[in-house]
Amino acid sequence: MGCEQVVIPARTARAFRVRAGQTLRVIDVEGQQVADVFCATATEPAEILSGIVTTQLNKAVYLTTGHVLYSVRRRPLLTIVADTVGRHDLLMGACSAYSYRLRYGVEDHPSCQGLLGAVLAPLGVAPDVPDTFNAFMNVPVAPDGSLSIEVPLSRAGDSVTLRAEVDLLVGVSACPADLSACNGWNPTAIAVEIETPPDA
Amino acid sequence: MGCEQVVIPARTARAFRVRAGQTLRVIDVEGQQVADVFCATATEPAEILSGIVTTQLNKAVYLTTGHVLYSVRRRPLLTIVADTVGRHDLLMGACSAYSYRLRYGVEDHPSCQGLLGAVLAPLGVAPDVPDTFNAFMNVPVAPDGSLSIEVPLSRAGDSVTLRAEVDLLVGVSACPADLSACNGWNPTAIAVEIETPPDA
């Protein structure tokens, strides 16, 4: 198959073109590390991932194997086809300079929004990047509806694999959050493998 | 004050211009009726409500008094300033022709997306309308993360009041869902009051 593994160093992001039928495997290299996954359709980069359309059409907030990520236009973009962890997040979106200022009073903190926006801009994607699939992020919903950011359940080598349903532009960031339990208080690397199945 | 009440008949929608500082009171006329509330900034209609930025920055999925609805660019759009019910939804977005086909196999069912898109298009808002604040909608999150649509807790005359933080284009629909408990199996009217506070 000749699958190449791309390492995304801690606190950085990478953009990829993924063709329909290819799979994107997101690997937590050292464990307890979140990867924000953003995507837009290759044919129209304004058609981006929608967290709310995805919660609506799956009727679920914790996504795992069999669930589908949808666009703002209700088109299937990615299907989760394998998952060694079973806990990922869709409700916290991408961290941003704004969220670090609001929560921690910190200015100009590196963020998934900033990192993803920078690597996706050359592909024609607008920099807002509001909604992301946050692989390995552990955000339980309490009975009162409040959200908390807990240490990820992922260990070194754990992965989640998504199959592209249409040609996509995908951004993956190794989340730089170091002021919460998001990445076990220690941001590390993420790896990505893009594979073409034999029958594709 | 001279506040005018606008009735939105069952299965229809209306668009409003709401100025910064004005309040929008959404009233459940007969009880157990959902109103989908969509908004975009008046200065740039592409800057729309983001459900995920809103769950992220409030760290909550059930919104009530004190919570803020944010745009895709992380700008505060509306603040909930009064709420006689305490249960509304943000995770189910707008129902769409797609969601009725997917869930019930029904073609061309009227939907909040269609109704809101039609009344907002003349104001320059794109028709996708993915994310909405669903006043009175009762969507509990189960411990396993699954969502269910239950009968609203609202009774006749209940209301939720939102203050505009910037000049807004707002769409409000009386949700036409009649194939689930969403509106107590019986879609009815919604009323809206837009008020300018004495000190605004």
Side-chain angles (χ1 to χ4, degrees):
Chain A
M1 304 288 292
C3 175
E4 184 195 4
Q5 187 173 100
V6 176
V7 173
I8 303 171
R11 302 181 179 84
T12 69
R14 282 284 298 270
F16 305 90
R17 291 179 179 275
V18 184
R19 293 195 310 276
Q22 288 186 316
T23 57
L24 174 85
R25 189 156 84 97
V26 182
I27 304 155
D28 185 351
V29 178
E30 299 184 32
Q32 300 187 351
Q33 173 62 40
V34 169
D36 280 28
V37 178
F38 174 86
C39 60
T41 64
T43 48
E44 193 167 356
E47 185 175 354
I48 62 176
L49 172 66
S50 167
I52 293 296
V53 173
T54 299
T55 57
Q56 178 195 53
L57 296 178
N58 291 282
K59 292 182 84 169
V61 297
Y62 305 140
L63 302 190
T64 186
T65 305
H67 286 128
V68 176
L69 305 182
Y70 289 89
S71 79
V72 289
R73 297 186 190 152
R74 297 159 179 83
R75 185 149 55 142
L77 300 181
L78 288 163
T79 300
I80 302 176
V81 294
D83 178 7
T84 70
V85 181
R87 174 55 64 92
H88 312 282
D89 169 66
L90 196 65
L91 300 176
M92 291 301 274
C95 60
S96 63
Y98 185 94
S99 68
Y100 286 102
R101 192 184 316 126
L102 185 74
R103 290 210 191 114
Y104 309 109
V106 174
E107 293 292 332
D108 300 323
H109 194 286
S111 70
C112 287
Q113 187 204 17
L115 295 169
L116 290 167
V119 297
L120 288 161
L123 302 180
V125 176
D128 300 334
V129 189
D131 297 5
T132 47
F133 170 69
N134 300 324
F136 315 121
M137 191 169 185
N138 183 11
V139 180
V141 181
D144 70 354
S146 64
L147 305 175
S148 58
I149 300 172
E150 308 292 344
V151 173
L153 304 182
S154 50
R155 299 181 184 186
D158 270 329
S159 66
V160 58
T161 306
L162 305 108
R163 183 186 63 227
E165 303 301 343
V166 293
D167 290 353
L168 293 173
L169 309 174
V170 175
V172 180
S173 60
C175 176
D178 52 7
L179 301 170
S180 73
C182 180
N183 301 304
W185 309 93
N186 176 34
T188 54
I190 287 291
V192 165
E193 291 175 0
I194 296 173
E195 196 159 340
T196 306
D199 57 349
Chain B
M1 307 283 290
C3 176
E4 184 194 5
Q5 187 174 100
V6 176
V7 174
I8 302 172
R11 302 181 179 83
T12 70
R14 282 285 298 270
F16 306 89
R17 291 179 180 275
V18 184
R19 293 195 311 277
Q22 288 187 316
T23 57
L24 174 85
R25 189 155 85 98
V26 181
I27 303 155
D28 184 352
V29 178
E30 300 184 33
Q32 300 187 352
Q33 173 61 40
V34 168
D36 280 27
V37 179
F38 175 85
C39 60
T41 65
T43 49
E44 193 167 355
E47 185 175 352
I48 62 176
L49 171 66
S50 167
I52 294 296
V53 172
T54 299
T55 56
Q56 178 195 54
L57 296 178
N58 290 281
K59 292 181 83 169
V61 297
Y62 304 141
L63 302 190
T64 186
T65 305
H67 286 128
V68 176
L69 304 182
Y70 289 88
S71 79
V72 289
R73 297 187 191 152
R74 295 159 179 82
R75 185 149 55 143
L77 299 181
L78 288 162
T79 300
I80 302 176
V81 294
D83 178 8
T84 69
V85 181
R87 173 55 63 91
H88 311 283
D89 169 67
L90 196 65
L91 299 177
M92 291 301 275
C95 59
S96 62
Y98 185 94
S99 68
Y100 286 102
R101 191 182 317 126
L102 185 74
R103 290 210 191 114
Y104 310 108
V106 174
E107 293 292 332
D108 300 323
H109 195 286
S111 70
C112 287
Q113 187 205 17
L115 295 169
L116 290 167
V119 297
L120 288 161
L123 303 180
V125 176
D128 300 335
V129 188
D131 297 6
T132 47
F133 170 69
N134 299 326
F136 316 120
M137 191 168 184
N138 183 12
V139 180
V141 182
D144 69 354
S146 64
L147 305 175
S148 58
I149 299 172
E150 309 291 344
V151 173
L153 304 182
S154 49
R155 299 179 185 189
D158 271 328
S159 66
V160 57
T161 307
L162 305 109
R163 183 184 64 228
E165 302 301 343
V166 294
D167 291 353
L168 293 173
L169 309 174
V170 176
V172 181
S173 60
C175 176
D178 52 7
L179 300 170
S180 74
C182 181
N183 301 304
W185 308 93
N186 177 34
T188 54
I190 288 291
V192 164
E193 292 175 359
I194 296 172
E195 196 159 340
T196 304
D199 57 350

